[in-house]
Amino acid sequence: MMVSCCGLITSQKEPVPLKSVEVELEVKDHVATVVSTLNYHNQEDKPLEAVFVFPLPGDAAVCHFSATVGQTEIVAEVKEKQRAREEYDDALSSGQQAFLLEESEQSPDVFSLSVGSLPPGESASIRLEYVTELAVQADEGLRFLLPAVLNPRYQPQGSVGSEGSNVQVTSVPASLVPYTLSFSARVSSPRPVSKVESSSPLDPLQYLNTEQTQATVKLAAGHKFDRDVELLIYYKDAHQPSAVVEAGQASSQPGSLMGDSVVMLSLYPEFPQAVMSSVASSGEFVFLLDRSGSMHGERIKNARDTLLLLLKSLPLGCYFNIYSFGSSFEHIFPKSEDYNQKTMEEALKKVEEMEANLGGTEILEPLKHIYRQPSIPSQPRQLFVFTDGEVGNTKEVINLVKQNSASHRCFSFGIGEGASSALINGLAKEGGGHAQFITGADRMQPKVMQSLRFALQPAMVDVSVKWDLPSGVSVTALSPPIAALFQGQRSLVYAQFTGQSSEASEGCVTVAYSLAGHPSQTQLHFSLKPAEDSGLTVHRLAARTVIRSLEMEVREPGGQEDAGGKKKVVELSVQSGVSSVFTAFIAVNKSNSEAIQGPLLRRTIPTPMMMACMAPMAFCSMRMPVMSCDMAQLPQMSPMIGLAFGQTSCSMDMMDQSDTLESCRPKQPPRDPLLQLVSLQKASGCWLLDPHLAAVLGKTSEEVEKPKPASVKQDVWATILALIWLHGFKMDAQEEWELLAMKAVSWLRAQKASLVTECVEAGNALLGCNVQKDAVGL
């Protein structure tokens, strides 16, 4: 059966009380403050409880939550989670209005908001504020993401929190989301803002001053909830290190994190060209590919093409293996193999056959298997993880990467709208690698090849941060030590300054490190005088950093909780007013003169989902859950992806059945000529002169062989032709083929080929190009 939805109703034909969401973003340099206002109105004749489950950025620190009902504003307090839930239930059972905001116990980027006892005809406005660091993309843009899409999170079988009642979350295709979104942003920085881009249509950027260091931008009207809202902000001279000191809160105890000054040090190194051009010729490269049902269609095709480019770009002398996972996992070789023509061909043959047909998203077991493999001497392990990030046990996965961070680096790729930022960023952060998000019409290949470049280039290692402060001022580090920093990666370091200095108002910080075997250091002098008007953004981000580190230590392997660590998290969360997994925001309207009469109806607010495929699917029954919302069960919620017209809640196992999705699989389009050319390259870096190469170059075999200078070997001639074609016709995709072209040039040099100039001239004439010999690197 199909349910047709229109207007503000759920699949149960009930009105939805959420009418609109307004978001205001303030970006200051590398950090953002976000204020969301959710406007509710009860049009029914009975009192309501409205429950809305929604995503936030994974590293956000929620720091304010309040509700305005009529003329009354009620500001929420942070309390231990169980106590907050009890207060909420008590308030509802005594007929009072109450509001509860809590973080999922499995994934820090999923929150639940309960609006309790909204009387008939009454409106309520909820204000939610959070601060977040902005991640740096490989092209130097700062990325802000407003998650709008909450995809189902697959709950692994038998994992913690998978027992008990199944809390359902309602989800609808974007076109049926019954509330509007308005979004505006203000950007300011010491450096000029060069541009702001977005995946969604924007009104033009407005500069607020002649230096162009302040600007505003708005989302164009009529945003469809079919995608997350992504903003990319670019500054001039982004690589300068900076330190911002923020004054403590006057009402807090001196000596406490909120009472003392806190500094945020931003490190975003730019490496010398000599280092950037050197590429390692060793390493163990392990690729881990998500083949769960939600990766079907374009996603899995893109992933196969990307693996082709990666395999062709690896250096001779390295080791590699490819794992893929769903409900179970597979590997191409029992252990990582030496990279050569035979192993490369064997791997590519298996990659070609890969489909999104392995069921659910069980990422933990393949990771454990990879980490159990002994490391290969003098071949540093580099792990590349490709996933749409729809897992329920995010924290467990990140913890495992952290435990193994000394033995490898982890590069992560979030594929598609709604990929969990907590998972993708967490993998890279704890694995000392780099995170990339691939959404909308983005090509996966350039981003992945940028990350491979990072993996092949030297990183800053043995990083130490030393503070030199006037007498009377002591320092406490709040951030975990930096394992490694590489080109294109930015690190924010937080520290607390205790005490007062009578005379000197300047501090100095020295960052020492080793780069490509050479010890080096950077020094920065900064003012200890706190920045004007910075609120408590830096304090809250610092508190969030400490809370996240403590949370990871609390959950010991085997699921036992450390009570002392949990108490520390609760204390810091309450003191700083920043959410944690063990606390919640609770607000009760005690000014109600009379208790609300009548039974409370529960209304679940639908969340936008991706319309991944138009195949009709079976509907499950939708049961309205009982009053109390158990967030520990959140990852089991399963807003179903891929329903064309109706809305439902179904188990994710059903989504991840390849036979259901078979009907959605598009017919294979002809292969891109660039990928065809790449697929013909040998592991050594050369090409062979054969009819397949001629076809890609748009020539017959005879046309290609005829202009070859007589004494030149066929594979040398073929390789020069391939390089000319890449430089002549595919410069717009240079990031994708640059590494394999460098390998081809190295191979040519090793051949000590003669008549290279004549070959390049003859090749240009044949292909109608004008590529210079030195441009090719010969």
Side-chain angles (χ1 to χ4, degrees), residues 571-615:
E571 280 172 4
L572 181 54
S573 175
V574 170
Q575 182 209 121
S576 62
V578 167
S579 63
S580 77
V581 69
F582 302 123
T583 52
F585 281 91
I586 172 76
V588 177
N589 186 1
K590 299 197 167 87
S591 69
N592 285 24
S593 50
E594 59 208 61
I596 291 157
Q597 302 302 310
L600 206 54
L601 299 179
R602 182 176 175 116
R603 297 288 177 256
T604 307
I605 312 290
T607 310
M609 65 174 174
M610 285 303 294
M611 290 185 65
C613 111
M614 298 299 283

Side-chain angles (χ1 to χ4, degrees), residues 363-403:
I363 192 170
L364 204 60
E365 289 312 311
L367 278 174
K368 284 178 179 171
H369 181 87
I370 290 165
Y371 294 141
R372 280 198 296 266
Q373 303 305 307
S375 50
I376 303 165
S378 68
Q379 301 281 356
R381 182 173 288 166
Q382 314 261 15
L383 174 63
F384 286 68
V385 180
F386 301 87
T387 177
D388 54 16
E390 293 161 12
V391 302
N393 56 343
T394 300
K395 290 190 175 173
E396 228 180 321
V397 172
I398 292 171
N399 232 341
L400 181 67
V401 173
K402 183 179 182 175
Q403 286 159 19

Side-chain angles (χ1 to χ4, degrees), residues 246-260:
E246 185 177 81
Q249 202 172 17
S251 58
S252 294
Q253 189 71 28
S256 69
L257 188 146
M258 297 307 286
D260 281 347

Side-chain angles (χ1 to χ4, degrees), residues 21-69:
V21 181
E22 296 157 23
V23 179
E24 290 172 27
L25 165 71
E26 173 134 22
V27 174
K28 287 187 174 168
D29 219 10
H30 284 258
V31 297
T33 303
V34 185
V35 178
S36 293
T37 308
L38 296 91
N39 298 306
Y40 289 83
H41 182 67
N42 181 8
Q43 292 170 306
E44 299 189 58
D45 55 5
K46 294 192 176 66
L48 287 185
E49 181 192 30
V51 178
F52 185 32
V53 176
F54 57 96
L56 283 183
D59 49 2
V62 177
C63 53
H64 174 89
F65 173 59
S66 61
T68 304
V69 181

Side-chain angles (χ1 to χ4, degrees), residues 478-495:
L478 301 174
S479 300
I482 300 170
L485 255 182
F486 48 91
Q487 173 75 17
Q489 190 183 25
R490 189 238 25 229
S491 191
L492 294 179
V493 177
Y494 299 95

